[in-house]
Amino acid sequence: MLYWQLSFLKFSILFLLGINHSILAQTVSDIFPEEYRQKIDSAVLRNAVDRPALQATIEWIKQLAQSTQDPVILAELARLECANAEVETQKSKRLAFYKNCIDTADQALAENANEVVALYWKAVAMGKLSEKMSILDALRMTRSMENLFLRVIALDENYDNAGGHKALGRIYHQLPGFPISFGNNEKALFHLRRAYELFPEDIITRAFYAEILMDLDEKQEALRHAEFILAAPIEAENRFRYREFVEIARNIIRKNL
């Protein structure tokens, strides 16, 4: 904790002295080392079982972001805000947190239009907000999400366990097709198969992949993925996050009985 405080103080002094942006960029690695990233990863992973730690991490990164306006730090703040929204039970607060995530991501993207973390979590938050919109507004937002996830894939298709591929696969599978919208099972299958190739152990990928395989009448293959999910050990901190995907697997098993 002392090291983090000293590092933050060091950067704040540099900032207040008016060091130019190129020099500031060089110092980011000094005040945002790997151990900081690990702290954020842990807070996001454990958001459902240790929310106080998540909120403390948000406040810490928020101070750093305000002082630096560095896109990497702002993007990580957006990610934390999305994790906070995920576990908020009060609807109005949850929606406000997702809007905060989008605003923060936009700040990061104003500094670096190719900041993958900001692109990704902005799109995720938009998806959550679209669930509460009218059909027409939701469809318009989904098209913007598609573009964001395509940019994520172009920049780093591995990010968040092929999160861009997973999200696009889900979007293309769930949306109605032309002329109502741009749903497309061929595209959905492409992205979900690619996600599976990259991260075959990922439960979310397996669940989405199993769903579309089931719809395409590939029942035995869908069943294989569903059985994998139900047999997989899930740590306590992941039970909240994976509950939806476990239920997808159970539904597939039921349909095959």
Side-chain angles (χ1 to χ4, degrees):
M1 180 62 72
L2 180 59
Y3 172 73
W4 294 334
Q5 292 171 339
L6 290 173
S7 296
F8 178 71
L9 178 61
K10 170 188 171 184
F11 197 89
S12 298
I13 291 170
L14 289 172
F15 181 79
L16 291 170
L17 287 174
I19 304 299
N20 67 44
H21 182 75
S22 62
I23 296 176
L24 286 177
Q26 294 172 15
T27 65
V28 169
S29 61
D30 293 334
I31 56 98
F32 201 55
E34 184 59 32
E35 63 189 279
Y36 281 24
R37 299 175 190 273
Q38 291 172 1
K39 179 182 173 72
I40 293 171
D41 289 345
S42 176
V44 171
L45 178 65
R46 295 176 53 79
N47 66 336
V49 296
D50 193 355
R51 196 173 180 195
L54 172 68
Q55 293 171 328
T57 306
I58 288 172
E59 291 307 311
W60 158 60
I61 289 295
K62 188 179 292 184
Q63 292 180 44
L64 195 57
Q66 288 172 347
S67 295
T68 67
Q69 290 300 301
D70 183 83
V72 172
I73 297 170
L74 285 163
E76 290 296 339
L77 175 59
R79 178 187 174 205
L80 286 161
E81 288 171 338
C82 197
N84 194 32
E86 183 183 24
V87 293
E88 175 56 54
T89 57
Q90 188 175 324
K91 180 181 174 181
S92 60
K93 286 186 178 180
R94 184 168 64 252
L95 296 180
F97 290 153
Y98 280 126
K99 289 176 183 177
N100 288 345
C101 172
I102 292 171
D103 290 343
T104 304
D106 281 339
Q107 292 176 50
L109 294 171
E111 300 293 328
N112 178 7
N114 292 324
E115 175 50 57
V116 171
V117 178
L119 290 167
Y120 182 79
W121 292 106
K122 177 180 179 179
V124 170
M126 289 171 66
K128 296 297 184 179
L129 289 178
S130 71
E131 295 173 1
K132 307 302 178 183
M133 293 179 174
S134 68
I135 293 175
L136 289 178
D137 286 341
L139 288 176
R140 280 194 288 268
M141 184 171 279
T142 305
R143 182 62 87 174
S144 297
M145 289 162 53
E146 177 194 30
N147 292 331
L148 289 170
F149 284 128
L150 285 170
R151 288 174 64 191
V152 169
I153 289 170
L155 292 164
D156 182 4
E157 68 172 339
N158 291 295
Y159 181 72
D160 198 38
N161 284 10
H165 284 297
K166 285 185 287 191
L168 281 177
R170 183 71 158 171
I171 289 170
Y172 291 136
H173 182 210
Q174 289 204 317
L175 285 179
F178 181 84
I180 298 173
S181 188
F182 57 96
N184 186 312
N185 277 347
E186 185 177 345
K187 288 184 178 181
L189 188 62
F190 168 81
H191 285 287
L192 292 172
R193 182 180 288 139
R194 180 58 178 158
Y196 176 60
E197 289 170 355
L198 291 169
F199 295 94
E201 304 299 309
D202 186 76
I203 285 177
I204 301 174
T205 295
R206 291 267 194 154
F208 291 167
Y209 195 25
E211 267 193 323
I212 191 167
L213 289 170
M214 192 73 181
D215 286 354
L216 296 174
D217 208 32
E218 298 286 342
K219 294 182 179 180
Q220 289 305 308
E221 186 67 5
L223 185 61
R224 182 173 72 84
H225 291 293
E227 289 173 341
F228 172 90
I229 293 168
L230 295 185
I234 298 177
E235 299 86 353
E237 59 261 32
N238 280 326
R239 288 173 190 158
F240 173 83
R241 181 172 291 105
Y242 289 157
R243 67 198 188 286
E244 172 188 350
F245 313 110
V246 171
E247 190 56 32
I248 288 173
R250 287 176 178 153
N251 286 336
I252 289 171
I253 297 289
R254 293 186 196 106
K255 291 177 181 177
N256 279 279
L257 291 177

